[in-house]
Amino acid sequence: FRFYKLSTSLNNTTYKRELSELLPSIPSTAETMGLPATVTNFDRQQRNQAVLELEKMSLSPNKSGDLSQAIASAQKISPGEPLYQQAQKNIQVWSQMILDLAQEKANQREYIDAIATAELINKNTAFYRQAKTLIAKWQLEAKQYLSNQTLLDTAKALIRPGQASTYNRAIEVAKKVPPGQPGFEIAQTSINQWSEQILELAKNRAAQGDFNTAIATATLVPKQTIAYEDAQDVIKKWRNQ
């Protein structure tokens, strides 16, 4: 397995290229694919015992490679041997810990690492099917994230400082990021920031006594943005002036 330590920065071209090259195409059915019920968490005593076994081997519970190594060692214990039953319990706990680490990476939009980590789950564990389902889900999310970041990069490229209309055009492009998809919250943050910048430009023009231009600028603040209500208030004020 190949592991990647890549930044999830919106402007990281290398990350985007790696992501697009490594992810297979996902069938449309993956979009509606439901996740299986989560396997019941192991009791504290069983988990503590598994962690203790890791410590004996000088392995870390926070490193997927170490957990995979521990699983490989435990699988060498044959049925009938004294430690076999405990080894099987440890394998299940360590597998869950690997999947937990993979989920953490996916939550941070580190999809390549998340997928590579989940692929360490062995076929002979209760977590294998769940891992395969999550991998398909993350592959789809990764493609959506990459597509949405490209949209946001396109939007940012339109902006020309001091030109309110360019912020407005950038907002219209950023609105194309679908709700619920990875990157939507980032798009909404950008949209609100750009709306505030339009309003700031309008206020600067009003401060110079150019109320007509100020009003025209403020009308570029779109509805459903954080600056919209303020923009409407100052438009009324400037019209009176």
Side-chain angles (χ1 to χ4, degrees):
F1 299 100
R2 292 187 294 174
F3 288 84
Y4 295 82
K5 297 297 180 184
L6 298 176
S7 167
T8 54
S9 168
L10 304 188
N11 297 316
N12 193 311
T13 304
T14 302
Y15 177 77
K16 292 180 181 180
R17 185 174 64 252
E18 293 281 4
L19 198 58
S20 60
E21 289 175 355
L22 291 174
L23 292 174
S25 66
I26 308 299
S28 58
T29 53
E31 251 183 282
T32 55
M33 184 184 298
L35 292 180
T38 303
V39 180
T40 304
N41 289 336
F42 297 99
D43 61 51
R44 186 179 298 275
Q45 182 178 356
Q46 190 171 332
R47 187 180 180 90
N48 288 344
Q49 179 62 38
V51 172
L52 181 62
E53 294 297 329
L54 287 173
E55 293 175 351
K56 290 179 181 178
M57 293 183 282
S58 299
L59 299 175
S60 170
N62 298 317
K63 295 180 179 180
S64 57
D66 283 7
L67 291 166
S68 180
Q69 181 180 333
I71 290 171
S73 297
Q75 287 174 332
K76 294 178 182 178
I77 300 176
S78 303
E81 293 186 27
L83 297 178
Y84 177 75
Q85 292 300 328
Q86 183 59 50
Q88 292 303 301
K89 291 179 181 179
N90 288 342
I91 288 171
Q92 298 303 319
V93 176
W94 294 333
S95 296
Q96 183 185 39
M97 292 168 74
I98 289 175
L99 202 56
D100 289 344
L101 291 173
Q103 183 64 66
E104 288 177 11
K105 293 179 183 297
N107 291 344
Q108 297 167 4
R109 309 300 185 199
E110 297 174 3
Y111 291 112
I112 293 175
D113 282 349
I115 291 167
T117 300
E119 285 177 340
L120 294 174
I121 300 293
N122 191 278
K123 290 183 179 180
N124 299 321
T125 70
F127 293 92
Y128 180 71
R129 289 184 63 186
Q130 186 179 9
K132 297 298 287 184
T133 302
L134 285 170
I135 286 170
K137 175 178 180 287
W138 294 335
Q139 286 172 335
L140 175 61
E141 286 185 4
K143 283 186 170 292
Q144 292 172 338
Y145 188 60
L146 181 62
S147 175
N148 293 336
Q149 299 316 321
T150 300
L151 266 178
L152 287 177
D153 286 345
T154 300
K156 289 178 182 178
L158 295 172
I159 294 174
R160 299 292 180 269
Q163 297 181 24
S165 61
T166 65
Y167 289 100
N168 180 270
R169 288 198 292 271
I171 288 172
E172 291 306 312
V173 172
K175 283 181 178 179
K176 295 179 182 179
V177 176
Q181 287 193 8
F184 176 73
E185 291 181 1
I186 299 172
Q188 292 303 299
T189 298
S190 296
I191 287 169
N192 282 319
Q193 288 175 346
W194 296 335
S195 72
E196 290 181 319
Q197 287 172 309
I198 293 172
L199 182 57
E200 188 63 29
L201 288 171
K203 288 179 177 179
N204 290 341
R205 287 159 187 171
Q208 296 169 6
D210 189 353
F211 294 110
N212 288 333
T213 304
I215 291 169
T217 301
T219 58
L220 294 174
V221 176
K223 292 181 179 179
Q224 299 178 336
T225 62
I226 197 170
Y228 180 73
E229 292 299 329
D230 287 344
Q232 294 304 301
D233 288 342
V234 293
I235 287 172
K236 292 176 183 177
K237 174 185 173 183
W238 295 335
R239 279 177 177 160
N240 290 332
Q241 291 178 295

